[in-house]
Amino acid sequence: MTMANSAFGAGVIVFMALGTAALAYRRGHSLLPWLTLGGLIPIVALPWLFLTKPKRQPGEQPPAGMLPLATISFLAVAGIIGIQVVSAPATIPACDNYFAQSDLKNVVANSPAGKAAGLSIVTLTDIKEVSKTPTEARCAATARMNNTSVVLMDYRFFIEAGQLLIEAHWH
């Protein structure tokens, strides 16, 4: 785990704890137990908080600022998770990975040769990983095309300039 991932994880825990505690305090509960519970197991704390009765008496005003604090905390959690998802580096998939196969089918169908002949892959069988490094995977498979032909497919997944690219050849 990298230092950045640890910082993101700590940020999520802190903001989840703060948001849960702010909502609990607004509903009349003690701050410290809900701060702890919200940080350790928010998936239990939040439903429990809303399924139990508030401890605040009817007509009693909730403390000012707790709802905005909770809202900002939960938005911060969403932002941290969003940043982590967007900044995730490209990774090389396994040759037989479902999404890799789907991407390969799209590459073939949208290639100049695929468009000109109206070709697309129907199924891939006998998928084999020929070689794999951290930045490239070379694969081979048998492809049944939509024109009923069966072809040998050589393809590779590689990372260039931080992007996952696919190159395919069939014969």
Side-chain angles (χ1 to χ4, degrees):
M1 182 181 282
T2 66
M3 182 65 95
N5 285 343
S6 297
F8 282 128
V12 167
I13 290 169
V14 166
F15 284 116
M16 283 300 292
L18 191 57
T20 303
L23 287 176
Y25 193 67
R26 181 173 162 70
R27 292 176 55 96
H29 297 281
S30 297
L31 195 65
L32 189 58
W34 284 94
L35 187 67
T36 305
L37 191 61
L40 295 177
I41 46 175
I43 198 161
V44 172
L46 287 170
W48 187 7
L49 180 62
F50 289 114
L51 292 174
T52 58
K53 288 185 177 185
K55 289 189 175 181
R56 196 156 307 290
Q57 298 300 319
E60 186 181 347
Q61 290 289 70
M66 290 296 117
L67 190 57
L69 177 61
T71 303
I72 290 168
S73 295
F74 292 129
L75 288 174
V77 168
I80 289 170
I81 292 170
I83 288 169
Q84 196 167 18
V85 167
V86 169
S87 65
T91 57
I92 299 295
C95 294
D96 60 351
N97 177 286
Y98 172 80
F99 296 108
Q101 289 182 43
S102 179
D103 289 344
L104 176 63
K105 288 177 182 181
N106 288 333
V107 164
V108 170
N110 294 321
S111 70
K115 283 183 178 180
L119 285 177
S120 64
I121 298 172
V122 177
T123 59
L124 286 169
T125 57
D126 301 323
I127 300 170
K128 292 177 182 62
E129 183 179 283
V130 177
S131 67
K132 188 169 187 175
T133 68
T135 58
E136 179 184 53
R138 291 187 176 271
C139 312
T142 303
R144 190 169 62 81
M145 308 301 274
N146 62 332
N147 66 357
T148 67
S149 65
V150 176
V151 297
L152 296 177
M153 176 89 45
D154 296 315
Y155 55 101
R156 72 181 184 122
F157 299 98
F158 60 102
I159 296 175
E160 189 173 281
Q163 296 289 316
L164 178 64
L165 302 174
I166 304 169
E167 180 180 287
H169 302 277
W170 57 93
H171 41 93

